[in-house]
């Protein structure tokens, strides 16, 4: 079975909402490396709990954070 690629929407959502990386760190308590991972192609490596924290910070749902290619 072919593995689908997951594309992160976190950077786009952060830009739309005017949330900076520093702001995300302050609001969520997550490490900068974790936020950078979520913004890039490594979102699939993030834990579900982490994605939930990011989604809440962006006033969205976990499913808004990524899409499958």
């Amino acid at each position: 079975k072919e593995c689908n690629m997951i594309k992160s929407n976190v950077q786009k959502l952060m830009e739309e909402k005017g949330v900076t990386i520093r702001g995300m760190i302050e609001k969520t308590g997550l490490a900068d490396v974790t936020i950078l991972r979520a913004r890039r192609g490594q979102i699939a490596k993030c834990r579900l709990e982490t994605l939930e924290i990011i989604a809440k910070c962006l006033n969205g749902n976990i499913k808004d954070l990524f899409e499958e290619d």
Side-chain angles (χ1 to χ4, degrees):
K1 188 174 180 177
E2 200 173 301
C3 188
N4 290 333
M5 294 294 296
I6 295 176
K7 180 181 174 220
S8 176
N9 291 329
V10 174
Q11 183 172 353
K12 181 179 83 164
L13 291 170
M14 286 176 69
E15 289 170 1
E16 286 174 3
K17 308 245 183 219
V19 177
T20 63
I21 293 172
R22 184 173 303 254
M24 177 80 73
I25 292 167
E26 291 171 2
K27 288 180 181 178
T28 64
L30 296 172
D32 59 344
V33 70
T34 301
I35 294 166
L36 291 172
R37 186 178 298 134
R39 286 171 52 105
R40 297 185 181 144
Q42 299 174 327
I43 192 168
K45 295 181 180 179
C46 292
R47 294 184 342 197
L48 193 56
E49 294 87 355
T50 301
L51 296 177
E52 186 175 22
I53 291 167
I54 292 170
K56 283 183 182 177
C57 182
L58 296 172
N59 298 317
N61 298 308
I62 292 173
K63 64 183 179 181
D64 299 328
L65 300 181
F66 61 88
E67 57 191 55
E68 292 183 71
D69 275 348

